[in-house]
Amino acid sequence: GNSVTQMEGPVTLSEEAFLTINCTYTATGYPSLFWYVQYPGEGLQLLLKATKADDKGSNKGFEATYRKETTSFHLEKGSVQVSDSAVYFCGRRVQGAQKLVFGQGTRLTINP
Amino acid sequence: GAGVSQTPSNKVTEKGKYVELRCDPISGHTALYWYRQSLGQGPEFLIYFQGTGAADDSGLPNDRFFAVRPEGSVSTLKIQRTERGDSAVYLCASSTASDSPLHFGNGTRLTVT
């Protein structure tokens, strides 16, 4: 089964709202954790990452903290913009392996 | 600079036919990945190349799927005897090293009728 589970979408928010997209993972050892984003008409691109427990990845106002005790890497943003509308994918890469495994994606729509 | 390029962007084929999908990675990227993304799902890993060799092909669903990277740059994903269930977007990604972020192409949308 899939070892990365994301919050079901779609998610629709108003501009300036607070965003949380939940992500949990299963893996042995200490995987690296990622959030990728796919804007309309574009390829997936890295948003942020964290490689060890308690690390916080951040980019473009988004943050996610690697929580080993809860095996989670939830994505947050304090004030979303219309331009944040996209599909967000959580991913994990097991230590020593190259395969990056993704969750099912969460479609986010921000209304003005 | 140029990103990962995938051709064709769309491919429609009949059930039972053979197809080839091409990926041009970013110049100098030694690692290359193929993923498959079905509607409403996340990308599903197929195969990973380091240089010319397939370092991990554990995601290929069956022996109808095969990929090559003969000179360590361009890669071709080959699907024999296509089935309707093969319809999906096939994504290619490359990276500078095994632990670096992946750079994705826009994908090839394959439709098997």
Side-chain angles (χ1 to χ4, degrees), chain A residues 71-84:
Chain A
T71 61
S72 66
F73 194 54
H74 304 323
L75 183 67
E76 297 182 335
K77 186 170 184 180
S79 177
V80 292
Q81 305 300 313
V82 172
S83 57
D84 294 327

Side-chain angles (χ1 to χ4, degrees), chain A residues 13-103:
Chain A
L13 296 172
S14 297
E15 205 165 20
E16 300 183 3
F18 183 86
L19 169 71
T20 300
I21 300 178
N22 289 342
C23 172
T24 57
Y25 66 91
T26 57
T28 56
Y30 297 89
S32 294
L33 303 173
F34 303 83
W35 278 99
Y36 277 75
V37 58
Q38 186 171 29
Y39 296 106
E42 300 183 17
L44 275 82
Q45 56 187 274
L46 178 68
L47 179 60
L48 53 83
K49 70 174 185 178
T51 57
K52 61 183 188 294
D54 300 324
D55 265 3
K56 179 184 285 187
S58 61
N59 186 25
K60 299 183 180 180
F62 290 89
E63 293 183 338
T65 301
Y66 189 142
R67 302 283 189 202
K68 187 161 176 63
E69 64 275 13
T70 54
T71 61
S72 66
F73 194 54
H74 304 323
L75 183 67
E76 297 182 335
K77 186 170 184 180
S79 177
V80 292
Q81 305 300 313
V82 172
S83 57
D84 294 327
S85 298
V87 183
Y88 292 81
F89 295 93
C90 185
R92 72 106 173 101
R93 177 186 265 155
V94 171
Q95 192 175 25
Q98 314 317 321
K99 183 166 61 178
L100 179 53
V101 174
F102 290 95

Side-chain angles (χ1 to χ4, degrees), chain B residues 10-85:
Chain B
N10 281 283
K11 176 71 178 177
V12 180
T13 191
E14 292 180 348
K15 179 175 176 296
K17 299 290 189 184
Y18 167 83
V19 295
E20 290 189 352
L21 311 179
R22 176 186 169 105
C23 173
D24 280 88
I26 293 172
S27 178
H29 281 196
T30 57
L32 185 145
Y33 305 74
W34 282 101
Y35 284 80
R36 177 170 69 175
Q37 187 174 18
S38 300
L39 192 63
Q41 301 297 313
E44 173 194 7
F45 172 82
L46 296 177
I47 187 169
Y48 156 70
F49 287 88
Q50 181 58 45
T52 60
D56 182 352
D57 64 358
S58 62
L60 294 178
N62 51 59
D63 62 6
R64 295 187 297 106
F65 288 74
F66 189 71
V68 295
R69 194 186 186 200
E71 297 178 356
S73 56
V74 171
S75 177
T76 304
L77 178 65
K78 308 181 181 196
I79 310 174
Q80 298 177 324
R81 305 183 302 280
T82 51
E83 299 177 357
R84 293 195 179 88

